[in-house]
Amino acid sequence: MTRSDNLTGALLMMASMASFTFNDAAVKALAGEVPLFQVLVLRGVLTTTLIFVMAWRMGALRARLPRRDWVLVAVRTLAEVGAVYFFLTALFNMPIANVTAILQALPLTITLAAALFLSEPVGWRRMLAILVGFCGVMLIVRPGTEDFNFYAIYTLVAVGCVTVRDLTTRRLSRETPSIFVTLITSAAVMVIFGTLSLGIEWVSLEGRQAGLIGLAGVLVIGGYLFSIMTMRVGEISFIAPFRYTSLLWALLLGWIVFGEWPEALTLLGAAIVVGSGLFTLYREVQSGRRRPLAQPPRRH
């Protein structure tokens, strides 16, 4: 039986989300053992090398970016650096499911920011869904209560950084290869955190720690590859909801690997955020605007 493009796209989306979430778990397992900056540098060496090879084989290294795109790439790179730092710092200090649940607000923040800064139309129903979704985020964070974790603020800052990154990506010219932008970003993250790591004391790695860093690097590449492949098949309206499977993986890994299970209010907040995101997507499809949630890859 031939598999439909929609089913293939859904499987690729789930594979992408699984790769990124398992990468998060591998990095989190190093908390308290290896300094964060050291982890980022070592993982960056591996990922940048692999992405360079991919870009070279695709002929993307010969790309000529317009001057305007270089400015956008610089802004995007700075946003990515901020997202990596704040997200992983929160991940080192919070349950993986809580961090992942807050990240599910990204489709909502991107939709809101696109309306505010790119003048994209957003009807009252989607705006209401965004507000409800943010209420769900507040249930997860619960500021002012004894259960409040300050590092939840780091996750919210990471969401803001990713929103800036994705909106900037949308403004790039279609002639600019995605893999080339990814290479620049990966190399910049490696160099910036490599410079910052000069001020900390590196630790000698044991076999388990080196293996986790290597695994994280491979999983990140897998996440990138699957996400690129996802954008090439099927309908975005069918495939996009499967991005929320990352929360299921985070719940499972948090329970099995770290012995963590979110409180009932956190689960309720996560359900509200996911429901709001799905409703926002549904309304977008209903209005006939099949804009992808991520910048589609350029074929080079």
Side-chain angles (χ1 to χ4, degrees), residues 22-33:
F22 274 81
N23 159 74
D24 295 342
V27 172
K28 182 176 176 60
L30 295 166
E33 301 178 13

Side-chain angles (χ1 to χ4, degrees), residues 23-299:
N23 159 74
D24 295 342
V27 172
K28 182 176 176 60
L30 295 166
E33 301 178 13
V34 183
L36 175 59
F37 289 174
Q38 181 180 348
V39 173
L40 290 174
V41 173
L42 295 177
R43 189 186 70 171
V45 170
L46 177 60
T47 56
T48 301
T49 301
L50 293 176
I51 294 172
F52 177 85
V53 173
M54 290 167 53
W56 173 65
R57 291 182 64 87
M58 295 171 65
L61 297 180
R62 297 190 297 272
R64 296 181 180 276
L65 273 64
R67 180 177 301 178
R68 169 181 173 274
D69 277 16
W70 280 113
V71 175
L72 293 173
V73 168
V75 174
R76 183 187 187 280
T77 300
L78 290 175
E80 178 72 11
V81 169
V84 168
Y85 171 73
F86 286 107
F87 172 76
L88 291 181
T89 301
L91 188 65
F92 268 34
N93 295 276
M94 288 179 63
I96 185 173
N98 292 43
V99 176
T100 305
I102 296 173
L103 283 183
Q104 303 313 306
L106 271 171
L108 304 176
T109 60
I110 291 173
T111 300
L112 179 61
L116 294 176
F117 301 109
L118 301 183
S119 300
E120 295 188 8
V122 175
W124 69 267
R125 292 181 180 87
R126 275 189 290 166
M127 187 62 69
L128 180 60
I130 291 171
L131 294 176
V132 171
F134 288 156
C135 290
V137 171
M138 289 300 101
L139 279 178
I140 301 170
V141 177
R142 294 196 291 280
T145 68
E146 61 180 15
D147 296 323
F148 173 68
N149 186 327
F150 176 78
Y151 288 101
I153 302 298
Y154 277 54
T155 311
L156 292 174
V157 174
V159 169
C161 290
V162 175
T163 302
V164 172
R165 183 199 68 187
D166 288 356
L167 288 182
T168 305
T169 302
R170 288 188 186 182
R171 305 297 297 275
L172 291 172
S173 306
R174 297 196 62 83
E175 295 74 22
T176 299
S178 294
I179 191 67
F180 185 68
V181 176
T182 302
L183 174 61
I184 293 175
T185 304
S186 179
V189 169
M190 178 186 65
V191 171
I192 289 173
F193 285 108
T195 303
L196 294 174
S197 72
L198 297 177
I200 65 171
E201 183 178 353
W202 282 39
V203 300
S204 299
L205 298 180
E206 299 177 355
R208 168 185 167 277
Q209 296 164 339
L212 285 171
I213 293 175
L215 177 63
V218 172
L219 288 169
V220 165
I221 294 297
Y224 284 141
L225 283 175
F226 289 132
S227 63
I228 291 173
M229 294 167 66
T230 297
M231 290 296 138
R232 294 174 183 260
V233 293
E235 302 172 4
I236 289 297
S237 59
F238 180 88
I239 297 169
F242 289 92
R243 75 184 305 278
Y244 292 110
T245 56
S246 62
L247 182 56
L248 300 178
W249 284 117
L251 288 168
L252 184 63
L253 289 170
W255 178 46
I256 294 176
V257 179
F258 304 107
E260 303 167 345
W261 188 256
E263 297 179 0
L265 279 178
T266 299
L267 293 174
L268 175 60
I272 292 174
V273 172
V274 171
S276 300
L278 291 174
F279 179 79
T280 301
L281 175 65
Y282 168 76
R283 288 301 306 173
E284 184 167 349
V285 174
Q286 288 294 102
S287 64
R289 297 170 55 248
R290 286 179 170 80
R291 172 176 46 79
L293 295 181
Q295 183 76 356
R298 286 81 171 182
R299 296 175 183 268

